[in-house]
Structures are given as structure tokens and as C-alpha cells.
């Protein structure tokens, strides 16, 4: 029996308010940070920590996430931008091949994780006056929940797509807007083939107009890697949430942090097998056996095992 549930994915850019477009990708970030603040508020109330200290935690986490994720992507995946297109590193534009708006795309979760850990060293010593593992054991809960919405944002943005698969595969999806920008099925090619005035009209035309059926058929079905990853993060969040609220794990320094590192990056490691390559140092023969995302996940997984297995200091 065939249980395939394939679809053509060509979402609108966001919610059009007439005077302003609320993009789904940005909305997912707002939800992620808003929910994270709410989760930490309840944790701080339980721990007897002044809510005023939560405001600084929120600001530091937002800045660390966005800057760390962007710089991480450039360092690990697109280091050539430092000399080819430096303006695109921290601005929502690209000057290659011509100047165009890209939005804040190209974010690496590995970079965000490193930046958050670094910032938490400062926050733990100067603001909350607790051991570093105390804050890391707690901040990973909202971080895990936020990761869910970031991947949903990637799905709405048709980015970080999966490898081509058969239309008979479960949840196989044609990402109309997800092909390489300059590729034969990318935005520039689609606009040229349909002779539309803009990309949105072109994408909508090949999705709904039968005269462009041949173009639509050329777009491959792909694994929805973003949804697979988001589902994995739901499980990670549920486990951490339960451990904090229903067990004594919060009193064992490093246990929650280690569990987060092990589970979240294991999910990332295995989803990489169905994810389209994002480049990086996997292109060098010595690293070609795994993807860049997998290589970067291994140190986090090892660190997670260390913090889970090390003798626990009760806090």
C-alpha cells in the first residue's frame, strides 16, 4: 500500500497587512524568542531569580543567536564572502551577480550554539552570579524549543531543503522557490522562462498555470529535511522540559546541558543524510565522507556524552 503524501510547496512570503509584509521566517523567530522568554520566566520564578535579570539574558541571547548564526554560516560554509561579497555578511543583501535583497538567510545553528555558550560565561559571572553550568542547564530548554520554530521558518522560506527523492516517498515535496538561485530551475531561470515581471508571479505561474506544466515537472521532489529536523527537536524539547520540571536533573550540574548537546546534535547528524549539501569543508577530499554539518555536530555530541557521564555536582 502506498502512503505517499507529496505536495507542491509555493507559500506566500508572509502575511500581507497592506502597509507591511510580516514574513513567516521573521515571524517564526519572534515566536521562538517570545516562547523562550516565557519558558525562562517560569524557570526564574521557580528558582527565585529576579525577573529583571531575565531581560538582559533575553537581549544577550538574541544578539548571540543572530550574530553567531550568521558568522558561523559564513565561516563554516561560505568563507569566500569575506573577500567576494563582504556587505552580505551582516546585511540582508547580496551584490552577486547583481545587487538584490536576500533577507537574513544563511544562518548556522552551530555558530549560534558557540556564541550562546560564550555569552553565557559573561552572563553567569556578571549578571546572575551562578555557575556557568547552572545557566546552561536552563537556557537549553528554550533554545531547544526555539530550534523547532527556526526550522519551520526554513520550511516556509524553502531553504535547507532535502535531497531529491521519488514522488512515492512519504512527504515528498517540490520546493518551487527552493532551487539554487542561479541554477537551471532557480529564480532567474524561472523568471526568464515565464517572462513574468517578477519572481512571485513567475513562481505562481508555474505552480498553477497548465501552460508551464513542463517546467513544474522538471522540479524534483525532495525530502522535507526541515520538517524532519523540527520534529526531532520537538522530542528533544519534550525530554528536556520533562527532566527539568519532573525530575531532579536540574540539581545535577551539566546533566541537562549534556542531554541537550547529545540529543539535538544527534538529530542534526542523522537529518544531514537526507539534506541537500550546503557546501563547506566537505568539498575537501579528506572530509568528504560526511557533510559539513555532520563534522560540526560530532564535537557537540562528544561534549554531551562527557557532561552526561561525568560525576555530577549537586547544585
Amino acid at each position: 500500500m502506498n502512503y505517499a503524501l507529496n505536495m507542491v510547496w509555493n507559500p506566500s512570503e508572509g502575511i500581507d497587512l497592506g502597509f507591511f509584509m510580516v514574513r513567516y521566517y521573521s515571524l517564526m523567530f519572534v515566536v521562538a524568542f517570545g516562547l523562550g522568554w516565557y519558558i525562562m520566566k517560569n524557570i526564574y520564578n521557580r528558582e527565585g531569580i529576579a525577573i529583571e535579570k531575565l531581560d538582559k539574558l533575553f537581549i544577550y541571547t538574541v544578539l548571540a543567536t543572530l550574530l553567531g548564526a550568521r558568522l558561523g554560516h559564513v565561516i563554516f560554509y561560505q568563507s569566500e564572502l569575506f573577500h567576494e561579497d563582504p556587505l552580505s555578511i551582516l546585511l540582508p543583501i547580496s551584490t552577486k551577480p547583481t545587487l538584490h535583497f536576500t533577507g537574513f538567510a544563511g544562518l548556522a545553528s552551530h555558530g549560534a550554539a558557540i556564541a550562546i555558550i560564550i555569552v553565557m560565561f559573561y552572563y553567569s559571572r556578571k549578571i546572575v552570579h551562578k555557575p556557568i553550568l547552572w545557566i546552561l542547564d536552563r537556557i537549553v530548554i528554550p533554545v531547544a524549543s526555539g530550534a523547532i520554530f527556526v526550522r519551520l521558518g526554513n520550511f516556509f522560506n524553502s531553504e535547507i531543503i532535502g535531497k531529491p527523492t521519488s514522488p512515492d516517498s512519504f512527504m515528498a515535496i517540490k520546493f518551487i522557490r527552493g532551487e539554487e538561485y542561479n541554477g537551471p530551475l532557480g529564480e532567474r531561470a524561472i523568471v526568464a522562462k515565464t517572462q513574468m515581471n517578477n519572481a512571485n508571479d513567475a513562481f505562481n505561474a508555474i505552480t498553477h498555470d497548465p501552460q508551464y506544466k513542463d517546467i513544474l515537472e522538471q522540479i524534483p521532489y525532495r525530502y522535507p529535511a526541515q520538517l524532519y529536523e523540527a520534529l526531532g527537536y520537538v522530542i528533544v524539547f519534550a525530554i528536556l522540559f520533562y527532566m527539568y520540571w519532573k525530575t531532579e536533573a536540574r540539581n545535577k550540574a551539566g546533566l541537562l546541558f549534556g542531554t541537550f548537546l547529545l540529543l539535538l546534535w544527534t538529530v542534526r547528524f542523522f537529518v544531514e543524510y537526507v539534506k541537500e549539501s550546503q557546501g563547506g569543508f566537505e568539498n575537501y577530499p579528506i572530509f568528504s565522507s560526511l557533510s559539513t554539518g555532520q563534522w560540526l555536530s560530532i564535537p557537540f555530541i562528544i561534549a554531551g556524552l562527557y557532561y552526561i557521564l561525568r560525576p555530577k555536582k549537586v547544585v
Side-chain angles (χ1 to χ4, degrees):
M1 186 177 294
N2 187 353
Y3 291 98
L5 181 63
N6 54 56
M7 64 180 292
V8 174
W9 184 242
N10 179 35
S12 63
E13 294 180 278
I15 303 172
D16 191 352
L17 302 179
F19 60 94
F20 183 73
M21 173 74 76
V22 180
R23 298 182 183 275
Y24 292 124
Y25 188 66
S26 301
L27 182 61
M28 290 299 101
F29 267 89
V30 172
V31 172
F33 286 121
L35 180 59
W37 182 88
Y38 179 77
I39 291 171
M40 285 303 294
K41 176 185 176 182
N42 284 278
I43 290 175
Y44 271 37
N45 284 336
R46 181 181 194 178
E47 304 277 355
I49 305 297
I51 295 299
E52 290 76 15
K53 296 182 179 181
L54 179 59
D55 294 335
K56 290 185 177 180
L57 176 65
F58 179 80
I59 294 172
Y60 293 161
T61 303
V62 170
L63 292 177
T65 299
L66 297 179
L67 291 177
R70 181 55 185 158
L71 290 175
H73 174 83
V74 174
I75 292 170
F76 298 137
Y77 294 96
Q78 281 187 291
S79 57
E80 69 275 7
L81 290 182
F82 283 110
H83 59 86
E84 291 183 0
D85 195 10
L87 288 178
S88 70
I89 295 176
L90 295 178
L91 296 177
I93 61 171
S94 176
T95 61
K96 305 294 183 180
T98 57
L99 180 65
H100 63 280
F101 178 80
T102 61
F104 288 102
L107 304 176
S109 53
H110 298 90
I114 294 171
I116 289 173
I117 292 172
I118 293 173
V119 168
M120 289 306 107
F121 272 99
Y122 175 83
Y123 179 82
S124 65
R125 299 184 67 177
K126 299 296 184 180
I127 307 298
V128 78
H129 304 295
K130 291 279 189 178
I132 179 62
L133 286 177
W134 183 92
I135 187 61
L136 289 177
D137 279 336
R138 287 149 181 81
I139 195 68
V140 293
I141 302 174
V143 168
S145 72
I148 300 168
F149 293 98
V150 171
R151 284 297 175 254
L152 291 177
N154 295 141
F155 180 67
F156 279 109
N157 245 21
S158 297
E159 60 189 7
I160 312 184
I161 57 180
K163 295 177 180 178
T165 184
S166 164
D168 295 329
S169 297
F170 181 68
M171 293 181 68
I173 294 178
K174 284 180 181 280
F175 290 96
I176 302 300
R177 300 169 183 259
E179 301 299 319
E180 182 185 355
Y181 178 78
N182 291 316
L185 295 171
E187 181 177 318
R188 298 182 70 191
I190 294 298
V191 171
K193 289 178 179 179
T194 58
Q195 297 184 334
M196 296 290 176
N197 294 325
N198 59 66
N200 281 331
D201 290 343
F203 288 131
N204 290 332
I206 65 171
T207 302
H208 303 291
D209 193 332
Q211 72 172 305
Y212 300 112
K213 181 181 178 181
D214 58 326
I215 301 177
L216 180 61
E217 290 178 346
Q218 293 177 47
I219 298 177
Y221 280 99
R222 294 180 178 275
Y223 292 108
Q226 318 96 321
L227 297 184
Y228 294 164
E229 203 166 338
L231 179 59
Y233 294 161
V234 168
I235 297 172
V236 174
F237 168 72
I239 291 172
L240 294 173
F241 190 86
Y242 177 84
M243 288 176 66
Y244 176 82
W245 288 101
K246 300 297 183 180
T247 74
E248 293 300 311
R250 67 185 181 281
N251 296 322
K252 298 177 181 179
L255 181 55
L256 284 165
F257 178 56
T259 302
F260 166 83
L261 292 178
L262 174 63
L263 295 181
L264 187 132
W265 299 108
T266 296
V267 169
R268 174 65 184 272
F269 184 91
F270 284 105
V271 172
E272 285 286 323
Y273 281 114
V274 298
K275 187 182 296 184
E276 191 68 88
S277 172
Q278 298 177 68
F281 49 77
E282 68 190 61
N283 294 320
Y284 295 96
I286 192 174
F287 295 113
S288 61
S289 58
L290 296 173
S291 72
T292 301
Q294 287 174 318
W295 283 114
L296 292 173
S297 296
I298 290 174
F300 288 99
I301 293 172
I302 294 173
L305 286 170
Y306 168 76
Y307 280 106
I308 290 173
L309 299 176
R310 71 195 282 268
K312 301 297 181 295
K313 179 181 178 181
V314 178
V315 294

